[in-house]
Amino acid sequence: MKKFLPLVLLPFLVLTSFNYNNADAILGEWANGTNKGHIQLYKQDGKYYGKIIWLKQPNDETGKPKIDKNNPDENARTKRLLGLIMLRDFKYEDGEWTDGKIYNPDDGKEYKSKMKLKDQKTLAVRGYIGISLIGKTETFVRVK
């Protein structure tokens, strides 16, 4: 019987080793869907945020650090992309991070957003206009 106990417990331990209902399960470093950037997901004042911490090509064609040149706010257009908060104000609810916003520096637009873990290494990030049906999902992969 002692020989079989580890075999009986193993599936239980594997299934419970990662808790999908843990609100802080998304914290860490993630590669975006294009793998051109890494986003650090962190918690502040009970909400979840993500900032750009690594870019595959951090400099523009002139060799200067890339900036948020498409931002509709002229004062923000000189800010560097590294360190830019692109995910903000998410709250955890029923296994999802909802009611957040995602900023797309490629077009300078902000969209409603929600996130859900597919597994411990994969995060589905959906940006949408109005309702969730009108949008796009990008898959982030955990780096750390």
Side-chain angles (χ1 to χ4, degrees):
M1 184 67 169
K2 289 182 181 179
K3 291 180 182 179
F4 294 108
L5 188 58
L7 293 175
V8 172
L9 290 177
L10 184 62
F12 175 76
L13 293 172
V14 169
L15 290 174
T16 59
S17 65
F18 184 76
N19 184 355
Y20 293 104
N21 292 321
N22 176 1
D24 292 344
I26 62 167
L27 300 181
E29 186 176 334
W30 297 83
N32 69 354
T34 61
N35 202 27
K36 293 180 181 178
H38 290 183
I39 294 88
Q40 179 73 43
L41 293 178
Y42 63 96
K43 187 176 183 179
Q44 181 177 318
D45 299 327
K47 292 188 177 181
Y48 296 86
Y49 297 84
K51 68 180 174 181
I52 300 172
I53 61 167
W54 176 85
L55 291 170
K56 189 173 189 176
Q57 295 179 349
N59 298 324
D60 64 17
E61 56 282 345
T62 66
K64 294 180 183 175
K66 286 186 178 177
I67 55 172
D68 192 11
K69 64 184 179 183
N70 296 317
N71 196 307
D73 177 1
E74 286 187 35
N75 295 324
R77 290 182 188 161
T78 59
K79 291 183 180 178
R80 291 182 179 190
L81 288 183
L82 278 176
L84 178 82
I85 296 173
M86 62 174 288
L87 298 163
R88 66 176 177 84
D89 296 330
F90 287 85
K91 64 181 183 180
Y92 181 76
E93 188 176 288
D94 296 327
E96 289 187 333
W97 292 262
T98 61
D99 298 330
K101 301 282 186 185
I102 185 168
Y103 174 72
N104 181 355
D106 290 338
D107 65 12
K109 294 183 181 176
E110 187 173 74
Y111 303 92
K112 291 181 180 180
S113 184
K114 66 181 184 176
M115 302 184 287
K116 185 170 183 158
L117 278 173
K118 291 181 179 180
D119 57 48
Q120 69 182 20
K121 294 181 181 179
T122 313
L123 180 66
V125 180
R126 183 154 186 85
Y128 56 94
I129 300 169
I131 60 172
S132 181
L133 291 173
I134 304 170
K136 178 182 175 184
T137 300
E138 190 169 309
T139 301
F140 285 17
V141 177
R142 189 181 296 275
V143 176
K144 292 182 188 174

